[in-house]
mmCIF file of all heavy atoms in Angstrom:
data_model
loop_
_atom_site.group_PDB
_atom_site.id
_atom_site.type_symbol
_atom_site.label_atom_id
_atom_site.label_comp_id
_atom_site.label_asym_id
_atom_site.label_seq_id
_atom_site.Cartn_x
_atom_site.Cartn_y
_atom_site.Cartn_z
ATOM 1 N N VAL N 5 77.117 116.525 124.282
ATOM 2 C CA VAL N 5 77.557 117.824 124.794
ATOM 3 C C VAL N 5 77.435 118.981 123.813
ATOM 4 O O VAL N 5 77.432 120.132 124.231
ATOM 5 C CB VAL N 5 79.016 117.744 125.296
ATOM 6 C CG1 VAL N 5 79.120 116.750 126.425
ATOM 7 C CG2 VAL N 5 79.969 117.408 124.166
ATOM 8 N N GLU N 6 77.344 118.718 122.506
ATOM 9 C CA GLU N 6 77.350 119.816 121.554
ATOM 10 C C GLU N 6 75.931 120.270 121.226
ATOM 11 O O GLU N 6 75.050 119.446 120.996
ATOM 12 C CB GLU N 6 78.070 119.417 120.267
ATOM 13 C CG GLU N 6 79.535 119.112 120.464
ATOM 14 C CD GLU N 6 80.228 118.812 119.154
ATOM 15 O OE1 GLU N 6 80.404 119.745 118.356
ATOM 16 O OE2 GLU N 6 80.561 117.645 118.912
ATOM 17 N N GLU N 7 75.738 121.587 121.170
ATOM 18 C CA GLU N 7 74.444 122.168 120.847
ATOM 19 C C GLU N 7 74.472 122.713 119.426
ATOM 20 O O GLU N 7 74.806 123.875 119.193
ATOM 21 C CB GLU N 7 74.108 123.292 121.834
ATOM 22 C CG GLU N 7 73.682 122.799 123.201
ATOM 23 C CD GLU N 7 72.404 121.992 123.146
ATOM 24 O OE1 GLU N 7 71.419 122.437 122.535
ATOM 25 O OE2 GLU N 7 72.402 120.880 123.714
ATOM 26 N N ARG N 8 74.156 121.876 118.450
ATOM 27 C CA ARG N 8 74.146 122.327 117.065
ATOM 28 C C ARG N 8 73.483 121.279 116.183
ATOM 29 O O ARG N 8 73.340 120.114 116.566
ATOM 30 C CB ARG N 8 75.577 122.565 116.572
ATOM 31 C CG ARG N 8 76.472 121.306 116.599
ATOM 32 C CD ARG N 8 77.823 121.600 115.995
ATOM 33 N NE ARG N 8 78.761 120.491 116.138
ATOM 34 C CZ ARG N 8 78.910 119.517 115.241
ATOM 35 N NH1 ARG N 8 78.163 119.486 114.164
ATOM 36 N NH2 ARG N 8 79.803 118.564 115.438
ATOM 37 N N PRO N 9 73.081 121.673 114.971
ATOM 38 C CA PRO N 9 72.613 120.661 114.016
ATOM 39 C C PRO N 9 73.747 119.694 113.686
ATOM 40 O O PRO N 9 74.921 120.025 113.821
ATOM 41 C CB PRO N 9 72.239 121.499 112.783
ATOM 42 C CG PRO N 9 72.020 122.873 113.306
ATOM 43 C CD PRO N 9 72.993 123.028 114.446
ATOM 44 N N GLY N 10 73.387 118.498 113.232
ATOM 45 C CA GLY N 10 74.399 117.508 112.887
ATOM 46 C C GLY N 10 74.861 116.681 114.061
ATOM 47 O O GLY N 10 75.728 115.819 113.907
ATOM 48 N N VAL N 11 74.292 116.926 115.254
ATOM 49 C CA VAL N 11 74.719 116.196 116.450
ATOM 50 C C VAL N 11 73.531 115.486 117.082
ATOM 51 O O VAL N 11 72.436 116.026 117.170
ATOM 52 C CB VAL N 11 75.350 117.148 117.490
ATOM 53 C CG1 VAL N 11 75.701 116.391 118.762
ATOM 54 C CG2 VAL N 11 76.591 117.803 116.923
ATOM 55 N N THR N 12 73.765 114.267 117.535
ATOM 56 C CA THR N 12 72.767 113.510 118.282
ATOM 57 C C THR N 12 73.497 112.630 119.284
ATOM 58 O O THR N 12 74.693 112.377 119.151
ATOM 59 C CB THR N 12 71.904 112.653 117.337
ATOM 60 O OG1 THR N 12 70.925 111.935 118.110
ATOM 61 C CG2 THR N 12 72.744 111.638 116.582
ATOM 62 N N SER N 13 72.769 112.180 120.291
ATOM 63 C CA SER N 13 73.394 111.276 121.258
ATOM 64 C C SER N 13 73.400 109.843 120.750
ATOM 65 O O SER N 13 74.186 109.022 121.189
ATOM 66 C CB SER N 13 72.657 111.348 122.598
ATOM 67 O OG SER N 13 71.318 110.942 122.439
ATOM 68 N N LYS N 14 72.493 109.533 119.833
ATOM 69 C CA LYS N 14 72.458 108.204 119.227
ATOM 70 C C LYS N 14 71.554 108.249 118.001
ATOM 71 O O LYS N 14 70.761 109.165 117.826
ATOM 72 C CB LYS N 14 71.940 107.165 120.218
ATOM 73 C CG LYS N 14 70.499 107.402 120.675
ATOM 74 C CD LYS N 14 70.055 106.311 121.650
ATOM 75 C CE LYS N 14 68.622 106.548 122.130
ATOM 76 N NZ LYS N 14 68.169 105.498 123.060
ATOM 77 N N ILE N 15 71.697 107.236 117.163
ATOM 78 C CA ILE N 15 70.799 107.060 116.019
ATOM 79 C C ILE N 15 69.695 106.104 116.453
ATOM 80 O O ILE N 15 69.960 105.086 117.101
ATOM 81 C CB ILE N 15 71.546 106.474 114.803
ATOM 82 C CG1 ILE N 15 72.764 107.326 114.446
ATOM 83 C CG2 ILE N 15 70.604 106.344 113.613
ATOM 84 C CD1 ILE N 15 72.425 108.718 113.980
ATOM 85 N N ILE N 16 68.455 106.425 116.101
ATOM 86 C CA ILE N 16 67.338 105.543 116.429
ATOM 87 C C ILE N 16 66.710 105.006 115.157
ATOM 88 O O ILE N 16 66.900 105.552 114.069
ATOM 89 C CB ILE N 16 66.285 106.273 117.287
ATOM 90 C CG1 ILE N 16 65.665 107.450 116.517
ATOM 91 C CG2 ILE N 16 66.890 106.748 118.603
ATOM 92 C CD1 ILE N 16 64.500 108.113 117.226
ATOM 93 N N SER N 17 65.938 103.927 115.297
ATOM 94 C CA SER N 17 65.261 103.322 114.152
ATOM 95 C C SER N 17 63.879 103.944 113.988
ATOM 96 O O SER N 17 63.347 104.558 114.918
ATOM 97 C CB SER N 17 65.116 101.818 114.374
ATOM 98 O OG SER N 17 64.158 101.567 115.397
ATOM 99 N N PRO N 18 63.264 103.773 112.821
ATOM 100 C CA PRO N 18 61.892 104.273 112.646
ATOM 101 C C PRO N 18 60.917 103.725 113.689
ATOM 102 O O PRO N 18 60.058 104.468 114.183
ATOM 103 C CB PRO N 18 61.544 103.808 111.232
ATOM 104 C CG PRO N 18 62.857 103.824 110.517
ATOM 105 C CD PRO N 18 63.849 103.321 111.535
ATOM 106 N N ASP N 19 61.055 102.457 114.050
ATOM 107 C CA ASP N 19 60.166 101.887 115.071
ATOM 108 C C ASP N 19 60.416 102.519 116.433
ATOM 109 O O ASP N 19 59.474 102.840 117.175
ATOM 110 C CB ASP N 19 60.354 100.373 115.156
ATOM 111 C CG ASP N 19 59.693 99.644 113.990
ATOM 112 O OD1 ASP N 19 58.674 100.152 113.480
ATOM 113 O OD2 ASP N 19 60.203 98.582 113.599
ATOM 114 N N GLU N 20 61.688 102.714 116.783
ATOM 115 C CA GLU N 20 62.011 103.357 118.059
ATOM 116 C C GLU N 20 61.470 104.783 118.102
ATOM 117 O O GLU N 20 61.075 105.276 119.166
ATOM 118 C CB GLU N 20 63.526 103.392 118.262
ATOM 119 C CG GLU N 20 64.153 102.066 118.633
ATOM 120 C CD GLU N 20 65.661 102.175 118.745
ATOM 121 O OE1 GLU N 20 66.307 102.629 117.799
ATOM 122 O OE2 GLU N 20 66.184 101.807 119.807
ATOM 123 N N SER N 21 61.438 105.443 116.958
ATOM 124 C CA SER N 21 60.996 106.837 116.930
ATOM 125 C C SER N 21 59.544 106.973 117.376
ATOM 126 O O SER N 21 59.174 107.959 118.022
ATOM 127 C CB SER N 21 61.176 107.425 115.532
ATOM 128 O OG SER N 21 60.262 106.859 114.608
ATOM 129 N N ILE N 22 58.712 105.985 117.068
ATOM 130 C CA ILE N 22 57.303 106.037 117.471
ATOM 131 C C ILE N 22 57.177 105.873 118.984
ATOM 132 O O ILE N 22 56.406 106.590 119.640
ATOM 133 C CB ILE N 22 56.494 104.955 116.722
ATOM 134 C CG1 ILE N 22 56.575 105.179 115.207
ATOM 135 C CG2 ILE N 22 55.047 104.953 117.188
ATOM 136 C CD1 ILE N 22 56.139 106.571 114.758
ATOM 137 N N GLU N 23 57.960 104.984 119.547
ATOM 138 C CA GLU N 23 57.969 104.802 121.006
ATOM 139 C C GLU N 23 58.454 106.078 121.704
ATOM 140 O O GLU N 23 57.871 106.528 122.696
ATOM 141 C CB GLU N 23 58.884 103.627 121.355
ATOM 142 C CG GLU N 23 58.971 103.333 122.841
ATOM 143 C CD GLU N 23 59.920 102.172 123.136
ATOM 144 O OE1 GLU N 23 60.256 101.416 122.206
ATOM 145 O OE2 GLU N 23 60.336 102.054 124.307
ATOM 146 N N ILE N 24 59.509 106.673 121.160
ATOM 147 C CA ILE N 24 60.069 107.899 121.729
ATOM 148 C C ILE N 24 59.083 109.054 121.599
ATOM 149 O O ILE N 24 58.938 109.873 122.519
ATOM 150 C CB ILE N 24 61.412 108.223 121.047
ATOM 151 C CG1 ILE N 24 62.486 107.255 121.568
ATOM 152 C CG2 ILE N 24 61.826 109.672 121.270
ATOM 153 C CD1 ILE N 24 63.777 107.286 120.803
ATOM 154 N N LEU N 25 58.378 109.127 120.492
ATOM 155 C CA LEU N 25 57.380 110.180 120.296
ATOM 156 C C LEU N 25 56.295 110.118 121.360
ATOM 157 O O LEU N 25 55.899 111.146 121.918
ATOM 158 C CB LEU N 25 56.747 110.037 118.906
ATOM 159 C CG LEU N 25 57.115 111.083 117.856
ATOM 160 C CD1 LEU N 25 56.454 110.749 116.521
ATOM 161 C CD2 LEU N 25 56.721 112.473 118.310
ATOM 162 N N GLY N 26 55.810 108.910 121.644
ATOM 163 C CA GLY N 26 54.786 108.752 122.677
ATOM 164 C C GLY N 26 55.276 109.232 124.024
ATOM 165 O O GLY N 26 54.557 109.946 124.753
ATOM 166 N N LYS N 27 56.511 108.874 124.375
ATOM 167 C CA LYS N 27 57.101 109.301 125.640
ATOM 168 C C LYS N 27 57.269 110.818 125.674
ATOM 169 O O LYS N 27 56.966 111.470 126.680
ATOM 170 C CB LYS N 27 58.461 108.615 125.819
ATOM 171 C CG LYS N 27 59.198 108.991 127.100
ATOM 172 C CD LYS N 27 60.542 108.257 127.165
ATOM 173 C CE LYS N 27 61.330 108.664 128.403
ATOM 174 N NZ LYS N 27 62.656 107.996 128.443
ATOM 175 N N ALA N 28 57.723 111.398 124.575
ATOM 176 C CA ALA N 28 57.954 112.830 124.521
ATOM 177 C C ALA N 28 56.661 113.623 124.667
ATOM 178 O O ALA N 28 56.624 114.655 125.349
ATOM 179 C CB ALA N 28 58.644 113.197 123.205
ATOM 180 N N LEU N 29 55.594 113.143 124.061
ATOM 181 C CA LEU N 29 54.307 113.839 124.150
ATOM 182 C C LEU N 29 53.740 113.799 125.566
ATOM 183 O O LEU N 29 53.045 114.722 125.986
ATOM 184 C CB LEU N 29 53.316 113.240 123.147
ATOM 185 C CG LEU N 29 53.569 113.626 121.684
ATOM 186 C CD1 LEU N 29 52.764 112.729 120.753
ATOM 187 C CD2 LEU N 29 53.222 115.088 121.440
ATOM 188 N N GLU N 30 54.041 112.735 126.300
ATOM 189 C CA GLU N 30 53.618 112.676 127.701
ATOM 190 C C GLU N 30 54.353 113.728 128.536
ATOM 191 O O GLU N 30 53.760 114.391 129.388
ATOM 192 C CB GLU N 30 53.894 111.285 128.280
ATOM 193 C CG GLU N 30 52.964 110.195 127.755
ATOM 194 C CD GLU N 30 53.284 108.839 128.377
ATOM 195 O OE1 GLU N 30 54.081 108.804 129.343
ATOM 196 O OE2 GLU N 30 52.751 107.823 127.902
ATOM 197 N N ILE N 31 55.648 113.880 128.270
ATOM 198 C CA ILE N 31 56.470 114.821 129.034
ATOM 199 C C ILE N 31 56.221 116.261 128.596
ATOM 200 O O ILE N 31 56.172 117.179 129.418
ATOM 201 C CB ILE N 31 57.968 114.471 128.876
ATOM 202 C CG1 ILE N 31 58.264 113.102 129.510
ATOM 203 C CG2 ILE N 31 58.862 115.551 129.484
ATOM 204 C CD1 ILE N 31 59.656 112.606 129.257
ATOM 205 N N CYS N 32 56.025 116.454 127.293
ATOM 206 C CA CYS N 32 55.870 117.805 126.735
ATOM 207 C C CYS N 32 54.690 117.833 125.767
ATOM 208 O O CYS N 32 54.870 117.680 124.551
ATOM 209 C CB CYS N 32 57.159 118.240 126.030
ATOM 210 S SG CYS N 32 57.102 119.919 125.360
ATOM 211 N N PRO N 33 53.485 118.032 126.299
ATOM 212 C CA PRO N 33 52.292 118.063 125.435
ATOM 213 C C PRO N 33 52.290 119.221 124.429
ATOM 214 O O PRO N 33 51.476 119.229 123.506
ATOM 215 C CB PRO N 33 51.140 118.225 126.436
ATOM 216 C CG PRO N 33 51.691 117.811 127.762
ATOM 217 C CD PRO N 33 53.130 118.170 127.716
ATOM 218 N N ASP N 34 53.205 120.202 124.618
ATOM 219 C CA ASP N 34 53.292 121.332 123.694
ATOM 220 C C ASP N 34 53.889 120.950 122.342
ATOM 221 O O ASP N 34 53.889 121.772 121.412
ATOM 222 C CB ASP N 34 54.149 122.458 124.295
ATOM 223 C CG ASP N 34 53.462 123.149 125.455
ATOM 224 O OD1 ASP N 34 52.225 123.271 125.421
ATOM 225 O OD2 ASP N 34 54.165 123.567 126.393
ATOM 226 N N ILE N 35 54.409 119.738 122.221
ATOM 227 C CA ILE N 35 55.010 119.322 120.952
ATOM 228 C C ILE N 35 53.941 119.269 119.860
ATOM 229 O O ILE N 35 52.945 118.563 119.981
ATOM 230 C CB ILE N 35 55.710 117.960 121.095
ATOM 231 C CG1 ILE N 35 56.972 118.102 121.947
ATOM 232 C CG2 ILE N 35 56.068 117.380 119.722
ATOM 233 C CD1 ILE N 35 57.650 116.788 122.276
ATOM 234 N N LYS N 36 54.178 120.034 118.820
ATOM 235 C CA LYS N 36 53.259 120.072 117.672
ATOM 236 C C LYS N 36 53.905 119.530 116.405
ATOM 237 O O LYS N 36 53.221 119.238 115.429
ATOM 238 C CB LYS N 36 52.821 121.518 117.399
ATOM 239 C CG LYS N 36 52.120 122.221 118.558
ATOM 240 C CD LYS N 36 50.733 121.667 118.793
ATOM 241 C CE LYS N 36 49.908 122.553 119.733
ATOM 242 N NZ LYS N 36 50.500 122.676 121.075
ATOM 243 N N VAL N 37 55.244 119.410 116.441
ATOM 244 C CA VAL N 37 55.994 119.090 115.229
ATOM 245 C C VAL N 37 56.905 117.889 115.464
ATOM 246 O O VAL N 37 57.645 117.843 116.447
ATOM 247 C CB VAL N 37 56.860 120.292 114.795
ATOM 248 C CG1 VAL N 37 57.669 119.948 113.545
ATOM 249 C CG2 VAL N 37 55.985 121.520 114.537
ATOM 250 N N ALA N 38 56.853 116.928 114.548
ATOM 251 C CA ALA N 38 57.833 115.845 114.494
ATOM 252 C C ALA N 38 58.748 116.131 113.318
ATOM 253 O O ALA N 38 58.316 116.127 112.164
ATOM 254 C CB ALA N 38 57.138 114.496 114.321
ATOM 255 N N GLY N 39 60.000 116.418 113.635
ATOM 256 C CA GLY N 39 60.939 116.783 112.589
ATOM 257 C C GLY N 39 62.082 115.807 112.472
ATOM 258 O O GLY N 39 62.443 115.127 113.438
ATOM 259 N N ILE N 40 62.639 115.725 111.280
ATOM 260 C CA ILE N 40 63.847 114.927 111.061
ATOM 261 C C ILE N 40 64.857 115.826 110.360
ATOM 262 O O ILE N 40 64.603 116.319 109.258
ATOM 263 C CB ILE N 40 63.564 113.661 110.234
ATOM 264 C CG1 ILE N 40 62.494 112.809 110.917
ATOM 265 C CG2 ILE N 40 64.852 112.851 110.071
ATOM 266 C CD1 ILE N 40 62.093 111.555 110.133
ATOM 267 N N ALA N 41 65.988 116.036 111.039
ATOM 268 C CA ALA N 41 66.997 116.961 110.538
ATOM 269 C C ALA N 41 68.381 116.323 110.519
ATOM 270 O O ALA N 41 69.384 117.020 110.483
ATOM 271 C CB ALA N 41 67.016 118.221 111.395
ATOM 272 N N GLY N 42 68.428 114.997 110.552
ATOM 273 C CA GLY N 42 69.752 114.389 110.515
ATOM 274 C C GLY N 42 69.903 113.234 111.500
ATOM 275 O O GLY N 42 68.910 112.577 111.833
#
């Protein structure tokens, strides 16, 4: 529910991040940046 840095709905693993990235690029091809901020 919170819109700010320092908040996430869950922590993911490095392996999960690659799977999520693929899904995200399918939904939003405008993604140019993979960032990690916490």
Side-chain angles (χ1 to χ4, degrees):
V5 299
E6 296 184 70
E7 285 297 311
R8 61 175 173 91
V11 176
T12 181
S13 61
K14 63 179 179 179
I15 305 295
I16 63 173
S17 71
D19 284 330
E20 285 177 306
S21 70
I22 300 305
E23 180 181 344
I24 286 169
L25 251 177
K27 179 180 177 182
L29 285 166
E30 288 180 10
I31 295 173
C32 182
D34 290 326
I35 290 174
K36 301 289 193 298
V37 179
I40 303 177

